[in-house]
Amino acid sequence: MGTLEVDKSLKAAFKETLEPHGFKKVKGRYPHFVRMATPEIIQVINYRLEQALSPQLEEKRFEVYCAVGSIYRPEINLNRSVYASMDWINTTHLDMYVKAKCNGIQVYENEQPGVDYIIKKGDEASLREQIAFAMTGIEHYIIPAFDKVVDLKTCVDYLELYAFSNLYISRKTECNGDVFILPAKYPNKESYRVKVQNDFHEEKRIVMQRVSEGKMTEEEGKQELLWYERRFCDNIERYGKFFEDEATQKEVSRLKAERAEKNLNAIRAMGIEV
């Protein structure tokens, strides 16, 4: 089995699995399968075909990635490789499984996905088995999570659970990932303050547990909590500036409009209807 044969089998399996859920492969050679959950929200599932780590035993290995984002993020470029897209399309099957298990979402213990799927050397049955395993993971962990995203508020919910770094508020307005959709869930600074305080209490619980287990000293725990406290206070102030300061609000509105136009044009250019 050569690379082209494995890639062809993967593309066919992804198409068969994802098209009934409303996904479509983008134009060109890159294996991005896209669904517009709403005119403002894009969902992507793709795979990355890797060279074997043990060439004498393995034919190939592949990884499955997914992402949800809004058209207000800095860039949506589907005309580039999976590797080049990992700045935001980087959630793995295993990430989805672990988050589900830790948050009371249904998991299938006998079907825990791995980070990658290994195809044995010269074994077509192995290829079929690994592809089937990957498709099961998509059906059990990715699609159900994606289906819950029906508006910008639930998009924030998804990102908080699976890709929280996309909601980090940077000091530079133009560098923020999907921060511009935060008001859909947190309409004002006070509501965001409550969220941040809850986050801090959770981090404090984790730190105190690590101290009690001897995994860090009391002084280390104290310093870490001070760092979290400063960071969370900064986040609250930045949120207020972004969405309550009149001058910054105008800048955010301008950037949102520019990004939406640019990203929608880029999505349409790849053959995806919006």
Side-chain angles (χ1 to χ4, degrees):
M1 293 179 292
T3 299
L4 291 177
E5 184 180 350
V6 174
D7 189 52
K8 183 178 179 180
S9 296
L10 281 168
K11 278 193 176 76
F14 269 72
K15 181 179 180 180
E16 181 180 355
T17 299
L18 295 177
E19 280 193 350
H21 295 286
F23 286 83
K24 180 181 178 181
K25 184 189 172 299
V26 299
K27 292 194 301 186
R29 64 192 183 96
Y30 299 120
H32 302 297
F33 290 80
V34 173
R35 178 174 78 176
M36 297 302 295
T38 77
E40 295 178 291
I41 300 169
I42 186 171
Q43 299 175 329
V44 186
I45 302 174
N46 61 30
Y47 64 86
R48 182 182 176 194
L49 192 56
E50 298 276 3
Q51 294 297 323
L53 295 181
S54 303
Q56 294 181 340
L57 301 175
E58 303 171 13
E59 191 76 48
K60 292 286 180 182
R61 56 177 61 207
F62 65 93
E63 302 163 344
V64 177
Y65 295 97
C66 64
V68 174
S70 79
I71 59 172
Y72 308 112
R73 60 175 296 104
E75 182 181 38
I76 296 174
N77 183 356
L78 299 169
N79 191 25
R80 58 180 182 171
S81 70
V82 173
Y83 181 78
S85 302
M86 289 181 70
D87 56 333
W88 74 287
I89 309 174
N90 52 29
T91 304
T92 67
H93 259 166
L94 185 59
D95 293 331
M96 301 294 284
Y97 173 86
V98 171
K99 288 292 186 181
K101 190 170 184 178
C102 292
N103 288 276
I105 301 170
Q106 183 180 10
V107 296
Y108 302 81
E109 295 296 343
N110 61 334
E111 296 177 358
Q112 177 177 338
V115 174
D116 50 18
Y117 297 87
I118 301 170
I119 303 165
K120 295 178 183 177
K121 189 77 173 179
D123 189 342
E124 291 191 12
S126 173
L127 171 63
R128 291 192 297 271
E129 288 169 3
Q130 291 301 301
I131 289 178
F133 192 24
M135 297 307 105
T136 298
I138 289 174
E139 293 275 13
H140 283 174
Y141 300 109
I142 298 179
I143 297 299
F146 278 17
D147 285 347
K148 293 178 182 177
V149 180
V150 296
D151 53 25
L152 291 178
K153 178 184 178 299
T154 48
C155 186
V156 174
D157 289 338
Y158 175 94
L159 293 173
E160 286 182 330
L161 183 58
Y162 297 106
F164 64 90
S165 62
N166 285 304
L167 297 175
Y168 174 72
I169 305 176
S170 169
R171 294 183 184 276
K172 296 182 178 180
T173 309
E174 69 276 8
C175 295
N176 286 276
D178 255 315
V179 166
F180 293 168
I181 68 172
L182 277 171
K185 184 173 182 179
Y186 306 105
N188 51 51
K189 184 177 177 180
E190 184 55 35
S191 61
Y192 189 70
R193 183 195 305 276
V194 172
K195 170 256 193 302
V196 170
Q197 287 174 339
N198 289 336
D199 290 346
F200 177 73
H201 290 315
E202 177 60 17
E203 293 295 344
K204 183 177 181 180
R205 182 191 67 78
I206 293 171
V207 169
M208 297 308 293
Q209 182 176 338
R210 292 177 66 194
V211 170
S212 67
E213 293 173 349
K215 295 180 179 179
M216 64 167 51
T217 66
E218 287 190 12
E219 181 60 28
E220 288 171 338
K222 180 180 178 181
Q223 292 302 316
E224 189 157 329
L225 287 175
L226 285 173
W227 181 84
Y228 277 123
E229 187 173 15
R230 286 194 296 268
R231 177 186 174 188
F232 288 147
C233 286
D234 284 347
N235 280 349
I236 293 169
E237 292 308 309
R238 290 176 193 173
Y239 191 91
K241 180 181 179 182
F242 261 62
F243 302 111
E244 294 182 352
D245 176 76
E246 186 175 346
T248 311
Q249 275 187 319
K250 290 180 180 178
E251 174 69 3
V252 168
S253 295
R254 182 187 65 80
L255 278 174
K256 281 183 68 177
E258 288 181 359
R259 290 179 179 184
E261 181 179 11
K262 178 187 72 173
N263 287 330
L264 286 172
N265 287 337
I267 293 168
R268 292 188 184 105
M270 297 306 292
I272 305 300
E273 294 183 8
V274 182

